[in-house]
Structure formats: structure tokens, C-alpha cells
Amino acid sequence: MATAVPVERDAVARSLPGPPREIPLPGVTLHRAGAWDLVAAGVGPALAAASTATALTAAALDGHPYGLVVSAGIGGGFAPGAPVGSLVVADEITAADLGAETADGFLPVTELGFGTVTHRPPAALVRLVAGATGARPGTVLTGSTVTGTAGRAESLRARHPRALAEAMEGFGVAEAAAAHGLPVLELRAISNPVGPRDRAAWRIGDALAALTDGFGKLAPVLTSWNPHDPHDPHDPHDH
């Protein structure tokens, strides 16, 4: 299953065989295209988590659970690693603003003694996707507020030096997938630099074209990926 907002869902659907069919579920509409189910999960981590969880639960109750959840869409890129028009595949999906502000700076929720702030997609799958699509692997940050200043961009880079991209849904999707015991993947096409808000610098059309092309190359990879492969020495889950 893949999750996105409507315009991103349509970009993904264009790369898949056959026209999508609408399948209504309580609170969400699922679009079936070939072997994929696509959900326009909505903007922000909360709605993305709720929409994804709805689809996952419905499939499980129907006796046909999913094997993988993919969060796909466009996002901001951190220069110079992720220029506009490039692809990023998350090897870490991290909530950038889940925690508390203190006099000494931001504390992630994990340092407050509960919760999690990072989900890690299967390392072997990330390598396969990177090889097939040309996407650069790295941390993709999830925030409820899009960065619009140089100061916030610098703060995020200081806290997350491996960050390549920023979006608004991946962590919510990953939380829903984790609740169902499912692996998750996040693929982002870069539409704008992370930093001062400058709509003239956005290249949404270019990013959607890159997403369409990237997802078309991604789909065959997933048919060859075996989630039950033996121990992967590079997978952080195995250490």
C-alpha cells in the first residue's frame, strides 16, 4: 500500500499499470491500481497515521493484510545533498518536532522517557530502492510545520546532520505500519530547498515527474524483495 496526498497519489498511479479503481472505506477512499492500493492519506502526521491505520485495519479484518507500507510524495530538500528534482529514500523516518522545548534547547520525546522518534525501513530494501531509482538514502524528517526560515533549517540540520529531506507525513505512516507489525518505506521527490519560504523557487511539477519516474522503477524492486531474507548484517534492526 502507498500513501500520499491526492496530487502525489495521482503521480504514483500514473507509473502503475491500469487505471485506479476507487474502493470506499470508513473515513478514507482507497484507489486500487494493479497490485497497489493507493491512499490519499492527507496532510500532516496525524491524518496520515489515521488514514493509514484505517486502510491497514480494514485489510487485516478482510483477511488480506498488506506486506509493506510506502509513504510517497514530494518534500523539501536539504542542500547540497538533496537538490530540487532529486529523489530521497529514507533509511530513517524521524519526527523532527515531537518533544519539548526547554531552556537548554529541544528535547525529543525519547529523552523525556517515552515514545519513539525514529522508524527504520529495512536496510536491504533501502539499498535495492536506491540502486534502482537513483534515490539517495538518508534521514527524512517529518514535521507538522514546514520549515520557512534559515534559522529553523539550521537548527534541524544541527539536530539531524544526516537529514536529506523534510515532509509532513512519513512518521505518521510509519507509526501506523509499526502498530500492525509491518515494514515501511518512504520515498520523496524534492520540490524545494528547506529554508526561507520562497514559492518562486518551488518546482512541484518537476518533483511530481521525478516521483512518477521513481515509483515506476520502485514497483519492480518490491516484487523481487524478500522480507524474509536471512539475517542482514547491515540492517540496524539486527543489532
Side-chain angles (χ1 to χ4, degrees), residues 197-225:
R197 187 172 175 83
D198 177 12
R199 297 196 64 168
W202 294 0
R203 297 292 181 268
I204 292 178
D206 292 344
L208 290 174
L211 181 64
T212 302
D213 181 67
F215 212 92
K217 295 173 181 176
L218 169 68
V221 170
L222 299 183
T223 64
S224 64
W225 174 60

Side-chain angles (χ1 to χ4, degrees), residues 132-231:
T133 66
R136 183 173 178 184
T139 300
V140 177
L141 302 179
T142 299
S144 296
T145 301
V146 173
T147 297
T149 66
R152 177 172 164 83
E154 291 169 4
S155 175
L156 289 176
R157 285 301 297 267
R159 295 207 310 264
H160 307 282
R162 294 186 66 255
L164 288 180
E166 174 193 70
M168 300 181 73
E169 294 80 33
F171 185 79
V173 172
E175 287 276 82
H180 283 260
L182 293 174
V184 66
L185 186 72
E186 184 171 12
L187 184 71
R188 292 286 165 180
I190 304 305
S191 60
N192 58 277
V194 175
R197 187 172 175 83
D198 177 12
R199 297 196 64 168
W202 294 0
R203 297 292 181 268
I204 292 178
D206 292 344
L208 290 174
L211 181 64
T212 302
D213 181 67
F215 212 92
K217 295 173 181 176
L218 169 68
V221 170
L222 299 183
T223 64
S224 64
W225 174 60
N226 180 4
H228 305 295
D229 274 345
H231 171 76

Side-chain angles (χ1 to χ4, degrees), residues 41-160:
V43 177
L47 184 54
S51 300
T52 303
T54 296
L56 295 180
T57 300
L61 292 175
D62 190 45
H64 298 90
Y66 296 103
L68 173 71
V69 182
V70 181
S71 178
I74 63 177
F78 287 94
V84 171
S86 67
L87 288 174
V88 172
V89 57
D91 57 16
E92 294 185 343
I93 301 171
T94 297
D97 52 8
L98 183 60
E101 292 288 351
T102 75
D104 298 319
F106 178 81
L107 286 179
V109 71
T110 47
E111 294 189 23
L112 301 176
F114 53 89
T116 185
V117 293
T118 295
H119 292 279
R120 293 178 175 84
L125 179 57
V126 170
R127 289 196 298 275
L128 288 172
V129 171
T133 66
R136 183 173 178 184
T139 300
V140 177
L141 302 179
T142 299
S144 296
T145 301
V146 173
T147 297
T149 66
R152 177 172 164 83
E154 291 169 4
S155 175
L156 289 176
R157 285 301 297 267
R159 295 207 310 264
H160 307 282

